Amino acid sequence: MFPSLQVCVIVSVCLTCLLPQCVHCSGCKNPPPAKNFTNSRYYGLWYEIGKIQTAGGAFFEKDCVCTTIDVKPLSNSDVRGDASVLNSCRKKTPQGTFLNATGKLSDESPAGKWKEGFAWFAPKVDYTIIALDEDYAVEYDCGTTLGFTNYCIHILSRKPTQSPEVTQKLLTFAESLGLNTENLKYVQTLQTGCW
Ligand SMILES: *[C@@H]1O[C@H](CO)[C@@H](O)[C@H](O)[C@H]1NC(C)=O
Ligand SMILES: *[C@@H]1O[C@H](CO)[C@@H](O)[C@H](O)[C@H]1NC(C)=O
């Protein structure tokens, strides 16, 4: 009766399921956590300086500016290393509405490597801190769902700024571990006008 509508629905359903699949087929890497990693050094507020991210990764981060993460040990479970991560950002502009999502880090093994989950129905991803210092951290997360892989490399700083030399050093390090399997571009996160 409405053939064009039917075709439209079928085409959009197929596009939705086909599009991401064969773009991201390379699988996750298993890098070691930072040598001097300790949980307490990672706790607290971090500003995202930039990231390398596949299109299907963390869809809520798509419009983010002024992005921060706040890592806190979960009470009663410090021994196991479980932690909460508040991912917070503004939508599109520093005055935009908050887009917040709290994830949970669990199953820490070894120190600096967790599973991260956002909701009981969503698949967990591997979450690894590959570099850590007083001023900076690099976090790599990666998951494979229905045969396709999404990853993100986050460059983090204790301040909303980072010297370009440090950023470059951290990116070179991440590349040296072979984490950017799809040769994606580094994208800087807007942090000016936010704080
Ligand atoms: C989002 O998180 C920020 C902390 O970065 C907080 O100030 C803000 O109130 C939160 N907003 C919402 C709507 O949860
Ligand atoms: C951690 O290791 C890195 C790389 O070896 C080093 O640059 C940094 O100073 C160390 N940080 C701490 C807090 O020990």
Side-chain angles (χ1 to χ4, degrees), residues 68 86 88 98 100:
T68 59
L86 169 60
S88 175
F98 276 110
N100 292 357

Side-chain angles (χ1 to χ4, degrees), residues 74-87:
L74 282 176
S75 49
N76 306 324
S77 59
D78 297 9
V79 183
R80 291 176 12 237
D82 286 6
S84 70
V85 186
L86 169 60
N87 291 251

Side-chain angles (χ1 to χ4, degrees), residues 14-28:
C14 289
L15 280 183
T16 313
C17 52
L18 287 181
L19 260 183
Q21 299 219 15
C22 275
V23 191
H24 311 306
C25 299
S26 38
C28 290

Side-chain angles (χ1 to χ4, degrees), residues 1-121:
M1 268 191 341
F2 299 106
S4 58
L5 178 64
Q6 268 179 0
V7 168
C8 183
V9 168
I10 290 167
V11 167
S12 20
V13 168
C14 289
L15 280 183
T16 313
C17 52
L18 287 181
L19 260 183
Q21 299 219 15
C22 275
V23 191
H24 311 306
C25 299
S26 38
C28 290
K29 297 287 177 180
N30 189 21
K35 283 203 183 70
N36 50 15
F37 180 90
T38 65
N39 285 22
S40 57
R41 278 183 190 149
Y42 185 55
Y43 294 147
L45 184 67
W46 294 98
Y47 297 84
E48 185 190 79
I49 300 301
K51 65 188 170 188
I52 292 172
Q53 184 173 40
T54 49
F59 65 95
F60 60 83
E61 290 174 13
K62 190 167 64 70
D63 292 330
C64 277
V65 300
C66 312
T67 310
T68 59
I69 65 168
D70 197 2
V71 187
K72 293 194 171 120
L74 282 176
S75 49
N76 306 324
S77 59
D78 297 9
V79 183
R80 291 176 12 237
D82 286 6
S84 70
V85 186
L86 169 60
N87 291 251
S88 175
C89 71
R90 298 278 195 159
K91 188 173 182 176
K92 292 189 174 156
T93 72
Q95 291 75 38
T97 50
F98 276 110
L99 300 175
N100 292 357
T102 302
K104 184 184 172 190
L105 303 182
S106 60
D107 306 296
E108 187 179 27
S109 171
K113 192 185 275 282
W114 288 269
K115 300 284 181 195
E116 181 185 37
F118 280 93
W120 62 268
F121 55 84

